[in-house]
Amino acid sequence: AALRAICEGSKSPVSIEVLDSYYDNSAYSINNKVGLYLKHTKKRLTPWTFTFHEQHQDYVLELKKIYDEVVTLLICNSDGVVGLNFNELKQILDENHKDAEWIRVERRKRELYKVTGSDGKLEFKIKHNDFVMKALSNNQ
């Protein structure tokens, strides 16, 4: 559904490439310009916690070396998707990749998403469909 929302949010055709299984089948590229790294939780209700093992953070860093931008999509079951660009991700998970770190997403009814991580928190809240704009930022 997140990939479909990206396609529907674009003013022009979108090319989505599935990156090989090296990335645990969780990475895609949009028009060969933006890397996407997806994390999903089946937990129904807020707060949602996403574990980032050292390898997962390394994947995001490798994608950043290849693409102009990397957007990490945190899929909160059927509630919605939080998209973090690379700079936002580094505010809550710094450059020191530990064995396991976490990101916590919470949202009250009819409010925006609050995001915190092992190494900090975002000083602003994130809109429900913000991830579409971030994934298409270099493609419009």
Side-chain angles (χ1 to χ4, degrees):
L3 296 176
R4 182 182 179 102
I6 292 168
C7 291
E8 290 175 350
S10 179
K11 296 174 185 166
S12 57
V14 174
S15 167
I16 298 176
E17 180 183 355
V18 179
L19 302 178
D20 65 18
S21 60
Y22 172 76
Y23 296 104
D24 295 334
N25 297 316
S26 296
Y28 300 83
S29 73
I30 303 296
N31 293 341
N32 207 27
K33 294 180 182 176
V34 175
L36 296 180
Y37 188 72
L38 280 63
K39 296 286 274 182
H40 177 266
T41 182
K42 292 182 180 180
K43 187 173 181 254
R44 281 184 353 113
L45 301 173
T46 185
W48 299 276
T49 303
F50 299 86
T51 302
F52 277 75
H53 295 285
E54 182 177 11
Q55 182 178 29
H56 300 151
Q57 291 189 70
D58 291 345
Y59 290 160
V60 173
L61 190 58
E62 289 172 22
L63 289 170
K64 180 62 176 155
K65 292 176 183 175
I66 299 169
Y67 299 100
D68 296 336
E69 182 60 85
V70 175
V71 178
T72 300
L73 300 183
L74 304 173
I75 302 167
C76 304
N77 197 353
S78 61
D79 187 80
V81 179
V82 172
L84 302 174
N85 65 33
F86 188 78
N87 291 333
E88 292 165 342
L89 182 69
K90 290 296 123 191
Q91 288 178 42
I92 58 176
L93 297 180
D94 64 19
E95 296 297 328
N96 184 15
H97 300 174
K98 298 177 185 90
D99 288 342
E101 297 187 89
W102 53 268
I103 294 177
R104 179 181 169 142
V105 176
E106 53 189 302
R107 182 177 84 90
R108 292 189 177 150
K109 203 171 197 169
R110 292 183 289 280
E111 289 189 9
L112 303 177
Y113 292 100
K114 177 182 172 185
V115 182
T116 57
S118 297
D119 300 316
K121 67 178 184 175
L122 293 181
E123 297 299 324
F124 53 89
K125 294 185 178 183
I126 296 185
K127 295 178 189 175
H128 170 70
N129 283 331
D130 223 17
F131 74 95
V132 173
M133 178 201 59
K134 290 176 183 178
L136 295 170
S137 63
N138 293 346
N139 295 302
Q140 296 292 323

